[in-house]
Amino acid sequence: MNTFKTTIEVAEAISTKDVKAFGTHSPEAPLAEMNIERRNITPHDIEIEILYCGVCHSDLHTARNDWGGTMYPAVPGHEIVGRVTSIGSAVTKLKVGDLAGVGCLVDSCKTCDSCKQDLEQYCLNGWTGTYNGIDKQSGGHTFGGYSEKIVVTGEFVLKVPSNLDLAATAPLLCAGITTWSPLRHWNVGKDSKVAVIGLGGLGHMAIKLAKGLGANVTLFSRTPGKEKDAIALGADAVIISTEETQMASVSGQFDLIIDTVPYVHDVNHYVATLNINGTLVLVGYLGGLEPVLNTVPLILGRKAVAGSVIGGIAETQEMLDFCGEHNIVSDIELIHMQDINDAYERMLKSDVRYRFVIDMASLKQ
Ligand SMILES: [Zn+2]
Ligand SMILES: [Zn+2]
């Protein structure tokens, strides 16, 4: 096993230590055990022993360089729950032994207009991803949660409610906040009618969180057979989107549609189900839409098609606190670190209900 420097430019002032991790050296290679270097804590850092790490589709796409720009070796994982093992002298937010969470962000400029409004996910100078980002302190690239420990600037560490199942809490850090942020931005509450497109990691969290906020929730599914599961998760109704009569029955109904579909798809027939002033927000797909978006219903109904990415740190904390109060967690399948390559194959077939979470104790074996 080799030990890799985070880059050629590791700053001398920052000392590092070896940490066991699971990652890959190339798009084609399966993930395997490796050692990486984490910085030793600075006065503002928190060191966390990782107990559980959720498995997000972004992990797979980054490991395989599907989006380009992956820096190798790549260690994915941005749904991290663990316990604080060490804190810098300036940290007051958490103490050693506390539960802690880390999501998709580990740093941002903290000075731009977005950051000043607690919208670090829209940092105008570029936020630092938990993995495959550039670590401002070491100059190297960041490694994610498929590892024993992580060191993160205290401001970007979340407090985790102690009453929740810890493994099932991990996916809240990406899938949870990705769906929570649009629900909050579009003011979903007791009088809202919300629809969710797709019942995967994101979709099942969207249903639970929208329901938690008191909304009436409908699932759009392309195929029958998911009704029972959707209702069990909290949905009030399921509409088969390929059935014209079913789609017509919900025409003009929804205030907000959360579209979690991760590939190119037709949004026009969903726009028809938006109420006046309604918004369809895309959270799962990056790229052009086909067929093209028809603006007629948008203009004649003041409807919007929008996008949203994760959420800021304050909003992520708000979501975790809300989940603690309402006992909301993800539905998960717990796996060992060594099963990750099989898990990726199953994710590609949507064969998971609804999120894989890695028991990081398995990395110690
Ligand atoms: Zn993610
Ligand atoms: Zn910023």
Side-chain angles (χ1 to χ4, degrees), residues 108-116 120 122-126:
S108 73
C109 85
K110 299 167 198 156
T111 57
C112 74
D113 285 349
S114 294
C115 287
K116 282 190 211 154
E120 298 89 356
Y122 303 115
C123 175
L124 300 173
N125 297 307

Side-chain angles (χ1 to χ4, degrees), residues 109-272:
C109 85
K110 299 167 198 156
T111 57
C112 74
D113 285 349
S114 294
C115 287
K116 282 190 211 154
Q117 295 174 68
D118 291 329
L119 298 169
E120 298 89 356
Q121 77 276 32
Y122 303 115
C123 175
L124 300 173
N125 297 307
W127 45 273
T128 305
T130 302
Y131 57 80
N132 206 43
I134 298 294
D135 184 329
K136 285 184 187 150
Q137 302 191 51
S138 73
H141 73 263
T142 53
F143 296 116
Y146 298 1
S147 56
E148 287 176 291
K149 288 188 170 184
I150 191 165
V151 175
V152 178
T153 305
E155 289 161 274
F156 287 78
V157 176
L158 288 311
K159 294 178 187 175
V160 172
S162 57
N163 59 312
L164 298 177
D165 179 292
L166 285 184
T169 299
L172 300 178
L173 277 307
C174 176
I177 187 59
T178 298
T179 49
W180 176 257
S181 187
L183 289 168
R184 296 289 287 141
H185 180 73
W186 278 280
N187 296 313
V188 165
K190 285 188 170 42
D191 300 323
S192 309
K193 287 198 82 172
V194 173
V196 175
I197 311 175
L199 188 60
L202 291 171
H204 95 289
M205 283 314 309
I207 292 174
K208 289 187 182 205
L209 293 169
K211 201 66 205 169
L213 287 164
N216 181 284
V217 186
T218 295
L219 173 75
F220 282 123
S221 175
R222 286 178 54 79
T223 49
K226 295 187 178 152
E227 293 83 350
K228 218 174 123 196
D229 289 349
I231 303 293
L233 290 166
D236 297 283
V238 177
I239 294 289
I240 306 302
S241 59
T242 48
E243 297 280 342
E244 267 179 47
T245 46
Q246 289 199 32
M247 289 300 276
S249 73
V250 288
S251 177
Q253 295 236 335
F254 300 111
D255 303 304
L256 182 70
I257 299 176
I258 299 188
D259 182 340
T260 71
V261 179
Y263 45 80
V264 63
H265 58 290
D266 183 6
V267 301
N268 291 296
H269 63 302
Y270 297 114
V271 168

